[in-house]
Amino acid sequence: MRKFTMFFMSSLICLCGCFMACSGNSDDNEVPDNGEVTGPITLTVDKAKIEANGTDMATFTVTDANGKVLTTSEYIKNVYFEDLTTGDYLERRTCTFSAVENGTHKFKAYYLDWESDEVSVTVQNRKNYELFYRKVGVFKMTGTWCTYCPAMTSSLKKVEEKIPGRMVKMAFHSSSSSDTDPFHLSQTSTIMSRFGASGFPTCIYDLKVMSIDRNVSVIKQTLQDQIRKYPATCGIKVNTSYNTSIGEITVNAALKSSRGGEYDLVYVLVTDGLTASGGNESSYDYTVRAISNNYLSMSTDGRFTVNANEEHTAATFTISNAKNLNPATSRVVVYALRKVDDAYMVDNITECSINGSIDYLYND
């Protein structure tokens, strides 16, 4: 059994699955119907159930009191569809809905001053298309001195409230040319250089997509796009123990793949509730305190190949010099790297308390 040791970085060295089809221009203004449409309106859907594969679609039709179809090109400018379950609206000029997460969605249609009764669409059988529950790794580049970083923190929190359990956040701090960040990591600049990032805050999703956008809707869509485009091919199981007397965390992880392939596991220690004198936020959560060296690409001696539906147990990983940690606010994050489109990305990610365990998470 191999044993790795990872040390803290010096504190003062200078990270709904619902998708709505879109077509046409969403900026069109409403056009009066000139009395051609008679209320009330009726909403119908061609499928009460769809498969959770992101391609099976339910198509909505809206008609007026005389049976005139309003989901044609002539009238659809004035039609809106609301997903009452999520609070989202379908994009303008569309009448189809698809998803990659199980659940029942209730919809209403609106045409000018009229609204329809509700119809329901049930999304089912995600496990037939993705065995393991997928989470997105959010690599947030930040600094205690950063003026706009609190807005990114707030936006990520709001997104998490909208689609809970779909992301694992890691805050990589950096000092500026004029201000020292007590949680500075040298790896922050390496990650930013790899992706051509130059400003703070910046988020990199799954080591695949970089964005500086702090808009809640945009972040939510980015997460959903990652989940839809890159289904998880593996799950991760973690068991940790924290020896307070010597300040050492022992991590045992295993990976199970649904289709087989080459992977590598990355280990990260994060802490919540940190404070910094003069910082722009009252406290700093999911702050990266230490990370294994293979955080961007597979290591030569750590990568492994696993067959489909088989489990690989990784070598014991040790995080040293980890004294005075609070198990209630510190966690170990483990993510699996896989090569996609000739580049390494996060296939799946999980997190576990420093004295606990987390089993594989499966889709229903």
Side-chain angles (χ1 to χ4, degrees), residues 86-138:
T86 64
D88 294 328
Y89 285 81
L90 271 66
E91 295 288 344
R92 295 291 303 277
R93 288 177 167 266
T94 188
C95 53
T96 58
F97 168 75
S98 64
V100 296
E101 186 168 1
N102 292 345
T104 298
H105 297 257
K106 294 183 178 181
F107 288 89
K108 266 189 176 184
Y110 302 91
Y111 185 90
L112 298 182
D113 294 331
W114 294 301
E115 67 179 69
S116 72
D117 291 335
E118 298 175 7
V119 298
S120 295
V121 178
T122 297
V123 187
Q124 60 186 8
N125 300 323
R126 181 58 185 169
K127 64 183 178 181
N128 293 344
Y129 310 97
E130 182 186 49
L131 180 61
F132 297 101
Y133 186 82
R134 169 85 151 91
K135 294 188 178 184
V136 175
V138 181

Side-chain angles (χ1 to χ4, degrees), residues 192-216:
M192 295 185 71
S193 296
R194 172 71 64 89
F195 289 89
S198 59
F200 294 84
T202 294
C203 282
I204 300 168
Y205 301 91
D206 284 336
L207 298 177
K208 187 70 175 177
V209 175
M210 180 189 71
S211 175
I212 61 172
D213 207 309
R214 302 187 295 273
N215 181 279
V216 172

Side-chain angles (χ1 to χ4, degrees), residues 233 255-263 304-312:
T233 68
L255 178 147
K256 187 180 290 185
S257 176
S258 58
R259 74 176 197 183
E262 186 178 47
Y263 302 88
F304 57 88
T305 300
V306 59
N307 295 326
N309 302 314
E310 291 189 0
E311 182 180 69
H312 172 85

Side-chain angles (χ1 to χ4, degrees), residues 326-344:
N326 182 351
T329 57
S330 294
R331 300 179 302 285
V332 172
V333 173
V334 181
Y335 61 87
L337 288 177
R338 181 171 66 95
K339 183 169 278 191
V340 177
D341 301 328
D342 294 324
Y344 294 114

